[in-house]
Structure formats: structure tokens, C-alpha cells
Amino acid sequence: MKDSALKVLYLHENQLRAGGLHAGKIIKGEEISVVPNRSLDARFSPVILGIQGGTQCLSCGIGEEPTLKLEPVNIMELYYSAEESKSFTFYRRDTGLTSSFESAAYPGWFLCTVPEADQPLRLTQLPADASLDAPIIDFYFQQCD
């Protein structure tokens, strides 16, 4: 998974970050596991995103404001659960070659990176105007075998 600026997502200190080079070496991107959330309307493409073989999943938390974090929960447990698991769910929207991921628990909040390299993956609301330093919400999502 890369953002539209071609920065790969990688794990550093239990945080997903977006970058390309680190100490002059190309960073190998983290493989992202994806399963549908079967308890939400499939027309909106609800997905749960995990890393490290699905042993940790991205969550938006349950507070008043969303807080993106990795939680030590198995992605397949969320997949088979009868609960909605909204805090772990993102609506995938495909637009041409890229996809955006909107939080199911916090409508209007999207996964994003920032133009600067090696910064954490975060959540943002869509800005009214797209400036050069605006958050990047579009991602290239390539399926692995």
C-alpha cells in the first residue's frame, strides 16, 4: 500500500508511517491484510485493515474524536465476529487507480499521510481547499499473492 505520492507504509515503533528511503536504503512496505466487515452494508465496501499477518488492526478508537492506533486483535476474529466492529472498519472508495478509506465509526474522517516523509499514518477530515501541504487521502492498493 502506497499513498498517491508513492510513499510506502511501514511499521516503526508500533506505528504505521509513510516514507521511501531511510538512511539511504529503500524501505520495504508493510503488507496490509484486508477482510470485509460482514456485519455492515457491503455496498459501501467496509473493510478491516491489519498488519503483521493480521495480528494487529487499525482502529479509530471510541472517544469523542477519532484516534488512529494499532490494536493487538486478530483480523480473523473481527471477520468472524457478529459485532459490527465499526472502530476497526473503513469504507473503501475506489476512484480510478487509487482508493480512499473513510472511518465507519467517524464519518467524514479518512486515513491519510502528509507530504513530509516518515510521518505517521493518521486521520483527517477533507480540507475545503487542496493546498500543496494538504493531507494525502488517496492510496494505491496492490493485491499480493
Side-chain angles (χ1 to χ4, degrees):
M1 187 168 173
K2 298 177 182 177
D3 69 11
S4 60
L6 303 181
K7 295 188 305 288
V8 297
L9 298 183
Y10 67 94
L11 188 63
H12 179 72
E13 296 178 356
N14 203 39
Q15 216 175 32
L16 277 177
R17 295 176 179 257
L21 292 175
H22 199 290
K25 296 184 180 177
I26 295 175
I27 297 170
K28 183 181 184 301
E30 187 72 29
E31 285 189 14
I32 309 291
S33 302
V34 180
V35 296
N37 183 326
R38 301 180 311 156
S39 65
L40 297 175
D41 191 337
R43 292 178 296 170
F44 299 110
S45 298
V47 295
I48 299 168
L49 304 171
I51 64 164
Q52 300 199 318
T55 60
Q56 294 186 69
C57 293
L58 280 175
S59 167
C60 295
I62 55 172
E64 284 186 36
E65 289 280 319
T67 304
L68 189 66
K69 56 188 168 186
L70 285 169
E71 292 197 29
V73 61
N74 188 293
I75 196 169
M76 293 312 292
E77 288 177 18
L78 294 172
Y79 175 74
Y80 288 116
S81 173
E83 297 177 28
E84 284 186 342
S85 305
K86 271 191 171 182
S87 65
F88 292 98
T89 304
F90 297 88
Y91 294 121
R92 179 178 172 177
R93 295 200 176 115
D94 296 329
T95 51
L97 298 175
T98 61
S99 300
S100 63
F101 297 88
E102 181 180 13
S103 169
Y106 297 91
W109 289 85
F110 291 80
L111 285 180
C112 75
T113 61
V114 294
E116 185 182 339
D118 304 314
Q119 296 301 307
L121 185 68
R122 57 188 75 170
L123 292 164
T124 190
Q125 291 181 301
L126 292 179
D129 60 338
S131 62
L132 290 176
D133 60 346
I136 300 166
I137 67 161
D138 295 315
F139 294 88
Y140 292 104
F141 202 72
Q142 181 179 343
Q143 185 170 334
C144 298
D145 293 332

